[in-house]
Amino acid sequence: MNGLVVKHPTVIHMLDGAVWRGTLEADLSEKPMGVAPDPPQADAEHFYFESSDGKKSGLIRFDAVKSISLVSEPGRESQCGLRFFDSAPIPSFLWIRATFLDGDTVEGMVSNQWSTFNAPLIRLSLPDRDLDQVQILIPRSSIAELRVITAR
């Protein structure tokens, strides 16, 4: 780890219902303001956690974790449960920009559901109805970067 490394207060909700409080080390260098730090010492399967009581410190497998909350005040009780915007309608489409491995880009709309991004092909509806193509199918393996621009 290079740069500014700090211990960040953390609350971890495990899939078995347990709640662990402690810290993660986070590298704050090269991060824009307002962007949450990436936990270092993390790989594809686990990360290092230091519990407040010292009893649960060590490597934790990602597949045992429900969520990791970076908290602003270590002593403050965290809110249980997720917050939803009940009064706001859920958009049916997302406007995305896909950058291909060769650097070309394309924009369009995709359905706002998990299967859109989980399938081997992304079905992109093109905005220009004057074209002879209305939709294109893009293999996920050909995408270098995918960004959600807005919801529609």
Side-chain angles (χ1 to χ4, degrees):
M1 287 182 279
N2 298 330
L4 177 61
V5 177
V6 298
K7 289 191 177 192
H8 205 292
T10 305
V11 177
I12 299 178
H13 294 266
M14 305 299 287
L15 286 174
D16 66 4
V19 177
W20 298 0
R21 289 170 175 73
T23 58
L24 288 175
E25 286 186 0
D27 187 352
L28 298 180
S29 61
E30 299 180 21
K31 285 285 186 182
M33 291 299 291
V35 175
D38 296 327
Q41 303 168 338
D43 62 27
E45 295 181 9
H46 46 33
F47 61 96
Y48 184 79
F49 174 74
E50 187 177 318
S51 67
S52 299
D53 61 9
K55 295 179 183 177
K56 297 181 180 97
S57 297
L59 292 176
I60 297 177
R61 293 186 56 83
F62 278 114
D63 60 6
V65 174
K66 177 180 176 183
S67 66
I68 301 169
S69 301
L70 302 178
V71 296
S72 57
E73 298 177 35
R76 189 174 177 186
E77 191 64 30
S78 70
Q79 296 286 334
C80 293
L82 300 173
R83 300 283 180 160
F84 295 95
F85 296 96
D86 292 336
S87 62
I90 297 173
S92 36
F93 292 99
L94 300 174
W95 190 273
I96 66 162
R97 178 180 298 137
T99 303
F100 294 98
L101 295 173
D102 65 3
D104 284 345
T105 60
V106 65
E107 287 187 10
M109 294 183 299
V110 296
S111 180
N112 187 9
Q113 55 190 8
W114 176 248
S115 60
T116 297
F117 302 101
N118 199 24
L121 294 172
I122 293 178
R123 181 184 302 262
L124 185 70
S125 297
L126 299 174
D128 190 352
R129 300 290 182 200
D130 293 336
L131 296 174
D132 61 349
Q133 55 190 3
V134 178
Q135 289 187 341
I136 59 173
L137 301 175
I138 305 171
R140 283 188 353 196
S141 59
S142 71
I143 298 174
E145 182 178 38
L146 186 71
R147 291 186 177 215
V148 175
I149 306 299
T150 190
R152 301 271 173 157

